[in-house]
Amino acid sequence: MPIYTGRGDEGKTDLRDMSRVSKASERIEAYGTVDELNALLGTIRPTGHEDVDDKLATVQNHLHVVQADLANPDPEDDDPQVGPEHVELIETWIDEYDEELEPLTSFILPTGSDSGAALHHARAVSRRAERRAVALWNEDESINADAVQYLNRLSDGLFTLARVVNQRDGEVEEAPQY
């Protein structure tokens, strides 16, 4: 597979179904932001916490499915798609890690150890990816609702992982000053 084809030199790209769209389309913005999130997660591993690294590796693979899903306006049954099981897995992780954490009593600043702060950053990028997917959905484009739900739940999961990593690294959560 060649790295460059020249097909995108005029500002258009192929979707999974081989239809051509502008590189500035809502669909490209949505799955491009998911790609950015995936690359950011790659810079966070290793965190120094093997269980967290394993979760992040799984998420990175899930994000490839999300990208394929968003890049496909008319998926076939055998095409990669996000399903309820992806969302449920993130929820399971949140519930498990939440038991390790002190309950939240206020908002917290997105800071901490290098890995903790980077996970907070990834959470914000996940929220942006979700907004881009919702913008695509609002354009009456065909989109898998499970992909949107996954991105929503993932941002909650990344927030929880940031808190866990910070706690394990001895970082104290800071409440914002109003």
Side-chain angles (χ1 to χ4, degrees):
M1 185 168 134
I3 298 299
Y4 63 91
T5 63
R7 288 184 47 79
D9 290 351
E10 294 178 6
K12 294 209 180 258
T13 192
D14 297 321
L15 294 178
R16 199 165 154 81
D17 66 0
M18 297 311 292
S19 60
R20 303 275 295 161
V21 296
S22 168
K23 289 184 175 186
S25 76
E26 294 287 349
R27 189 170 297 277
I28 303 306
E29 280 292 322
Y31 75 73
T33 306
V34 172
D35 184 34
E36 178 185 353
L37 172 60
N38 203 344
L40 177 58
L41 291 177
T43 69
I44 297 170
R45 290 193 305 136
T47 62
H49 305 282
E50 188 174 341
D51 60 322
V52 173
D53 293 342
D54 290 345
K55 304 288 189 288
L56 294 177
T58 298
V59 167
Q60 286 191 278
N61 283 287
H62 286 176
L63 290 174
H64 271 279
V65 176
V66 173
Q67 283 180 261
D69 202 338
L70 292 173
N72 196 348
D74 191 24
E76 303 286 331
D77 288 340
D78 61 341
D79 286 332
Q81 291 183 302
V82 178
E85 67 277 8
H86 294 94
V87 176
E88 291 165 8
L89 182 60
I90 301 296
E91 290 173 345
T92 299
W93 294 344
I94 293 169
D95 293 343
E96 288 171 0
Y97 282 118
D98 205 38
E99 292 178 18
E100 186 176 330
L101 295 166
E102 293 295 320
L104 276 177
T105 58
S106 69
F107 287 105
I108 60 171
L109 295 176
T111 188
S113 67
D114 288 346
S115 294
L119 284 161
H120 278 299
H121 181 190
R123 183 237 346 126
V125 175
S126 184
R127 286 283 185 214
R128 180 162 36 92
E130 178 190 6
R131 290 190 304 272
R132 296 291 190 261
V134 168
L136 175 63
W137 205 1
N138 288 343
E139 292 291 318
D140 293 326
E141 291 279 343
S142 176
I143 184 174
N144 178 359
D146 289 332
V148 174
Q149 188 177 12
Y150 180 83
L151 292 169
N152 182 18
R153 204 67 78 251
L154 178 58
S155 62
D156 296 332
L158 293 171
F159 176 78
T160 302
L161 288 176
R163 292 189 66 217
V164 164
V165 166
N166 279 334
Q167 178 177 286
R168 290 177 182 178
D169 290 347
E171 298 289 334
V172 176
E173 292 180 332
E174 299 176 37
Q177 303 297 311
Y178 296 99

